[in-house]
Amino acid sequence: MVEEEQKYEVDDAYLLPDLAGTAPPGGRVRALPPVTLVARYLDTVDLRLARAGASLRHRRGDEMPWTVKLPTGTPGVRHEISRPGPKGQPPPELVELVTVLHRGAPLAPVTVVRTVRHAYEVCDRAGAVLVEVVDDRVTVRDDAGTTTDTFREVEVERKAGDRTLLDRVGGVLREAGAQAGSFTPKHVRALGEPAQADPDLVAPAGLPAEPSAGDVVTEAVRKEIRRLLAHDSLVRLRAPAAGDDTAVHQMRVACRRLRSDLRTFKPLLRKTWSGPLRTELRWLAGVLGAARDAEVLRARLRRTADADPLSPLDRGAVDRLDEVLAERHRRALTAIDEMLRSARYLALVDSLVLASRAPRLTRRAAAPAAQALPALVARPWRRLSGPDGVDGLDAQSPDDRWHAVRKEGKQARYAVNAVAPTVGKGARRLSRALARVQDVLGEHQDAAVAADAWLEIAAERPDDHELAVTAGRLAERERLSVRRMRGLFPAAWHRATRRRRTSWLP
């Protein structure tokens, strides 16, 4: 679940205001009996979880006493995952969820937080809890039971209500004298300055006014490493990414973009550093790929089957096709789970965290970005536009040839994206045009792969005649999409090659 809350700093003399006016018509504010919560937080010796904005705790008295909280990138909003289990041993599933943070380092108790909580629930007419307000008096203890700190804070957590109600309750608290504070979790406040130091994973920080080529490479590398590692826990949880996308897809895209950047900027990077990293990223992308391919085919199956309501397909046969894909997807996800638990993956995560701190650059990386980068981007552009790329492509070329151009197109687009903040308007224009080219080539590839997949599944079941007919009709629709994309490609490519988009390339 996603936890969204606001914190307020108050002193011992603060009087919690009457919250009755915040309830909707017919609703009420319900006071709960006070409770005492004792939470023991686990972390590494150097507080890797706390510094990254995450936590792993056992809280006595909870139905699900073990909880992991993970940052989302939005202050006050975190993923919260709770599981049962005895006090002494955290559930392995939760330990795995913070793998990219602890990276194999032992987890042990680092602080104990005792909270006396008075809670108030703002409910609607039906009794549903919209917002919860808690008034916490906190005592921090070390492992010997000695009190090391005390403080008081008020939290407002969104439940079934909307953000407007959350803000309205916060406004009432502020009017009574509460001070809106920075979002600092209790255990981080308890642990003090060491828990508020920088995390091990270095995030993109933006480019200086006159960046070097190395600045641009470092920013690009950090961006994709952050994306990759941010989706690790979501892949483990089978949780969606932003929007309708999947975490598997986002993690795979990050692998591909990072590998592409390491290839494009190869002259600026030490080979002994970038080569092994690209090899491991290729392995990771390959494991993720099987699950992503199944995701795409399952979504496409229903879309293609429903494309022509006037010519319906056999629903039973479509369902049987989906069953085959669902089994492929399950096997692929199992392979991902095994990969995520492997020592090889743990070593890769460690390498990526180190890479975010300081990519191993060559002396050439010290050159001004505006001078050094266009020539590097020109290489994938020439491969895309040359005789082995688009110049050698025609409407009769085999699917594999179109797919090869698609891969070169991705490489070129990723390279342009990486340098666009430095190069300027022309690169941004080319990036948008290449995105359209990739849309066309991506649809072409998906349709071609799907057509082969439907026929392949039918061939494995020769006695299922309805399936054979349905697969054939699906394949016909996919090949129609292939032909349509081949017809759209010349115009999309022409727009990408206009002078105002490419004049910055040498």
Side-chain angles (χ1 to χ4, degrees):
M1 63 175 287
V2 175
E3 174 192 66
E4 182 179 356
E5 63 184 18
Q6 298 173 351
K7 284 183 179 285
Y8 295 89
E9 297 178 1
V10 297
D11 57 26
D12 287 339
Y14 179 77
L15 296 178
L16 197 72
D18 184 358
L19 301 172
T22 64
R28 66 189 182 95
V29 175
R30 181 167 55 210
L32 302 183
V35 296
T36 299
L37 307 169
V38 179
R40 175 175 274 100
Y41 288 85
L42 278 63
D43 208 328
T44 62
V45 171
D46 55 354
L47 304 180
R48 296 178 182 181
L49 273 62
R51 289 188 288 111
S55 66
L56 170 60
R57 77 171 185 220
H58 178 277
R59 192 160 72 183
R60 189 179 69 196
D62 286 355
E63 182 179 351
M64 295 281 193
W66 284 102
T67 298
V68 157
K69 294 188 179 184
L70 300 167
T72 63
T74 302
V77 181
R78 294 181 292 178
H79 294 290
E80 180 176 317
I81 308 96
S82 297
R83 296 291 185 269
K87 176 181 177 181
Q89 185 62 43
E93 177 188 355
L94 297 189
V95 175
E96 290 173 0
L97 286 179
V98 289
T99 293
V100 298
L101 303 179
H102 64 67
R103 305 192 307 284
L107 297 171
V110 291
T111 191
V112 177
V113 176
R114 180 181 182 272
T115 303
V116 177
R117 170 167 292 179
H118 293 78
Y120 305 85
E121 296 176 336
V122 180
C123 305
D124 64 10
R125 186 189 303 271
V129 180
L130 305 178
V131 165
E132 182 182 51
V133 179
V134 298
D135 183 357
D136 288 342
R137 295 178 183 269
V138 182
T139 303
V140 182
R141 294 176 175 173
D142 59 21
D143 281 343
T146 303
T147 298
T148 59
D149 192 14
T150 60
F151 57 88
R152 183 186 178 196
E153 64 181 18
V154 175
E155 295 179 359
V156 185
E157 183 176 351
R158 178 179 170 185
K159 298 294 187 178
D162 57 22
R163 183 60 186 268
T164 301
L165 178 58
L166 189 72
D167 293 337
R168 186 161 69 244
V169 172
V172 172
L173 296 175
R174 289 193 299 273
E175 288 177 3
Q179 300 294 317
S182 60
F183 185 83
T184 304
K186 289 182 177 65
H187 74 292
V188 172
R189 186 169 174 177
L191 290 165
E193 290 185 8
Q196 299 179 49
D198 292 335
D200 288 345
L201 180 66
V202 181
L207 295 171
E210 297 182 359
S212 68
D215 290 333
V216 174
V217 174
T218 298
E219 187 77 357
V221 166
R222 286 175 176 170
K223 178 181 177 182
E224 296 310 325
I225 289 175
R226 182 176 64 170
R227 188 213 296 243
L228 193 160
L229 297 183
H231 287 89
D232 171 286
S233 59
L234 298 181
V235 169
R236 294 174 192 268
L237 289 168
R238 308 283 193 262
D244 296 327
D245 206 352
T246 68
V248 169
H249 181 223
Q250 281 297 310
M251 199 171 184
R252 189 187 187 198
V253 167
C255 284
R256 286 181 165 180
R257 290 199 174 201
L258 186 51
R259 287 188 70 238
S260 176
D261 289 341
L262 294 177
R263 180 184 178 190
T264 297
F265 302 123
K266 186 176 179 180
L268 308 179
L269 300 166
R270 295 187 183 181
K271 294 180 181 179
T272 55
W273 175 81
S274 62
L277 191 54
R278 288 192 71 236
T279 297
E280 293 305 282
L281 289 167
R282 181 177 184 179
W283 162 72
L284 176 57
V287 178
L288 296 169
R292 176 56 185 167
D293 292 345
E295 287 176 353
V296 171
L297 283 172
R298 292 192 73 188
R300 192 173 187 92
L301 171 62
R302 298 296 177 179
R303 189 166 65 250
T304 304
D306 297 337
D308 187 355
L310 298 180
S311 183
L313 303 183
D314 186 299
R315 303 309 302 179
V318 172
D319 289 341
R320 292 195 292 280
L321 285 168
D322 186 60
E323 289 172 3
V324 173
L325 298 176
E327 178 58 28
R328 289 184 185 179
H329 194 206
R330 282 191 291 271
R331 291 198 301 268
L333 290 175
T334 298
I336 289 176
D337 289 339
E338 293 172 354
M339 177 270 295
L340 292 174
R341 297 188 183 106
S342 70
R344 184 176 181 180
Y345 176 72
L346 194 63
L348 173 57
V349 169
D350 217 25
S351 296
L352 291 172
V353 171
L354 290 173
S356 75
R357 296 182 192 175
R360 303 295 296 276
L361 304 173
T362 64
R363 291 181 179 179
R364 292 180 59 179
Q371 296 178 18
L373 296 181
L376 297 181
V377 177
R379 294 178 180 180
W381 174 255
R382 285 194 294 268
R383 288 196 300 269
L384 172 62
S385 58
D388 292 331
V390 176
D391 281 357
L393 196 66
D394 61 48
Q396 306 307 315
S397 297
D399 292 341
D400 288 349
R401 185 75 181 78
W402 282 82
H403 181 44
V405 172
R406 176 178 177 248
K407 290 192 291 186
E408 294 293 354
K410 280 189 175 182
Q411 174 77 19
R413 183 189 170 201
Y414 293 161
V416 172
N417 285 348
V419 305
T422 301
V423 173
K425 186 182 296 185
R428 290 193 294 271
R429 287 172 173 169
L430 180 57
S431 177
R432 289 192 293 268
L434 285 175
R436 173 56 181 160
V437 170
Q438 283 301 109
D439 287 344
V440 173
L441 292 175
E443 171 63 19
H444 180 284
Q445 174 66 5
D446 289 349
V449 169
D452 291 344
W454 313 144
L455 297 177
E456 172 195 328
I457 294 172
E460 294 171 352
R461 293 156 180 77
D463 296 333
D464 192 335
H465 302 297
E466 291 82 5
L467 184 65
V469 171
T470 300
R473 293 180 65 187
L474 284 167
E476 287 176 357
R477 293 179 181 182
E478 302 292 5
R479 294 310 304 182
L480 178 62
S481 183
V482 166
R483 292 192 293 274
R484 185 165 61 250
M485 292 304 105
R486 293 189 181 198
L488 293 174
F489 179 77
W493 179 245
H494 177 71
R495 285 192 293 272
T497 56
R498 288 178 178 170
R499 184 67 180 166
R500 66 192 184 101
R501 296 188 174 93
T502 62
S503 60
W504 59 279
L505 291 167

